[in-house]
Amino acid sequence: MKNKRKHFGDRKDGRRVRGCAPMDFLAPYIMVERNDASNLFCDSFDTRAVDTYINEKRKEGLKHFGLTHVLLASYVRAVSQRPAINRFISGQKIFARNRIEVNMIVKKNMAINEPETLIKVIFEPTDTAYDVYEKFNAAYKESFAVEENSFDNTAKILNRIPGLIKKNMMWFLKTLDYFGWLPTGLTDVSPFHGSLFITSMGSLGIPPVFHHLYRFGNVPIFMAFGARKSVNELGEDGKIIKKKYLQYTVVTDERICDGFYYASAFKILKRLLKNPRQLDVPPEKVYEDID
């Protein structure tokens, strides 16, 4: 994303949006917390085109290329066309985020006692599916290349602090974050700061949950997706067709943009999932958020 000149009131992680309608500026004072402004959205899509696309990419040598890569690439492309979904609310103000940051909690092995860790991946709006694959896999490998990554080390340090002190310290950190004064070293490893938090329920074999938005930090969208589900449908010729659908849920902070804008962004995402080959090339044009 282009780096615009900073103005008074901007943050390290975002540029103050000043061109919204009056009600948009009032909403964060009426709905103070993200969970006050949460909208829940559920949809599904026929995975035949995506499954074919995944198989093609694996034959090209993209080992373990999968649904997560396609969904992330589609989201990044949607941001490039509808940049307001990459806004966030902090200190009751609206900001356009400087970059696309995606957070995901992962396990190295699917076992009950296997510890979780966070990966945070930075994307550009011009990224293709190949770019998303490379960046996501690099972050994943880096996270498990060491016994404990930066997120794990930070969590361990915080957990050494006695409970009462830790409670007051969290209040202090929230206050710093309210004014945009939280150290970059913390926001860079924080799962609570970013454009999107995504989680896969498919590997667990269960439907996607509607995950709450965190009161701390500024993540405005939480997406979850489940396992493929086989459905028998009646075709136009009267014959039974077996299709596979993937259900996904999205929880959004309605204060960053209006419902019409959100809907247009999700329509772009769904069109890409119907024709994922569009993700092989950069977008013809990248749109900038308003000032």
Side-chain angles (χ1 to χ4, degrees), residues 1-290:
M1 289 185 175
K2 295 178 181 178
N3 292 321
K4 294 193 174 184
R5 186 166 61 89
K6 291 192 69 173
H7 295 84
F8 178 78
D10 290 348
R11 291 168 50 109
K12 289 178 288 187
D13 51 355
R15 171 178 54 82
R16 178 88 175 270
V17 177
R18 297 172 171 84
C20 294
M23 184 58 195
D24 295 332
F25 295 124
L26 184 61
Y29 290 91
I30 298 172
M31 298 172 284
V32 179
E33 301 289 347
R34 256 171 291 284
N35 284 324
D36 298 338
S38 292
N39 283 331
L40 282 62
F41 171 75
C42 179
D43 202 359
S44 63
F45 64 93
D46 182 351
T47 67
R48 287 178 297 177
V50 168
D51 290 338
T52 300
Y53 183 70
I54 290 172
N55 289 331
E56 290 174 355
K57 291 292 166 282
R58 289 180 178 178
K59 288 178 181 178
E60 291 175 12
L62 276 64
K63 190 177 179 181
H64 302 308
F65 186 89
L67 269 169
T68 300
H69 301 108
V70 180
L71 284 168
L72 288 178
S74 300
Y75 163 77
V76 170
R77 185 60 52 87
V79 172
S80 76
Q81 305 303 298
R82 298 292 184 270
I85 64 171
N86 197 28
R87 293 175 182 172
F88 64 92
I89 304 292
S90 192
Q92 271 71 61
K93 304 294 189 297
I94 306 172
F95 295 88
R97 196 178 302 279
N98 294 333
R99 58 188 188 179
I100 303 174
E101 300 179 64
V102 175
N103 299 328
M104 188 175 190
I105 296 293
V106 295
K107 282 177 175 283
K108 189 172 185 178
N109 298 301
M110 296 309 297
I112 292 176
N113 295 324
E114 183 72 22
E116 296 179 330
T117 191
L118 171 82
I119 60 173
K120 184 188 285 276
V121 194
I122 310 302
F123 297 110
E124 294 293 332
T126 53
D127 282 348
T128 64
Y130 299 99
D131 299 320
V132 169
Y133 170 82
E134 294 293 342
K135 291 179 178 180
F136 182 86
N137 285 9
Y140 184 88
K141 290 176 182 177
E142 182 182 352
S143 181
F144 288 108
V146 292
E147 187 174 341
E148 292 180 339
N149 61 18
S150 299
F151 166 71
D152 298 324
N153 288 329
T154 303
K156 180 179 281 188
I157 292 170
L158 293 176
N159 279 326
R160 289 174 180 162
I161 301 172
L164 185 60
I165 298 175
K166 183 160 41 181
K167 182 177 181 180
N168 290 323
M169 186 192 70
M170 289 307 301
W171 172 86
F172 178 65
L173 292 176
K174 285 182 179 180
T175 302
L176 290 179
D177 196 29
Y178 184 94
F179 293 105
W181 298 338
L182 205 60
T184 304
L186 281 179
T187 57
D188 283 347
V189 301
S190 168
F192 312 108
H193 296 78
S195 309
L196 171 77
F197 206 120
I198 187 168
T199 185
S200 169
M201 304 283 102
S203 55
L204 306 178
I206 61 174
V209 298
F210 288 97
H211 199 289
H212 63 88
L213 298 175
Y214 299 109
R215 293 182 66 184
F216 180 59
N218 55 32
V219 174
I221 301 176
F222 206 118
M223 178 184 289
F225 61 97
R228 293 176 179 84
K229 183 178 179 182
S230 296
V231 177
N232 291 323
E233 295 184 355
L234 190 65
E236 293 181 359
D237 58 358
K239 295 181 180 180
I240 299 296
I241 303 173
K242 189 174 184 178
K243 294 183 179 180
K244 287 186 178 180
Y245 284 88
L246 185 83
Q247 186 182 37
Y248 60 96
T249 60
V250 185
V251 179
T252 66
D253 183 342
E254 72 161 295
R255 301 171 299 173
I256 63 172
C257 59
D258 61 45
F260 184 89
Y261 195 100
Y262 263 131
S264 68
F266 287 125
K267 285 178 181 177
I268 290 172
L269 184 140
K270 197 162 184 179
R271 284 199 299 269
L272 291 165
L273 294 171
K274 287 183 178 180
N275 185 14
R277 290 188 181 89
Q278 298 175 70
L279 301 170
D280 286 346
V281 295
E284 292 183 2
K285 181 178 179 180
V286 172
Y287 293 84
E288 294 287 335
D289 204 347
I290 62 173

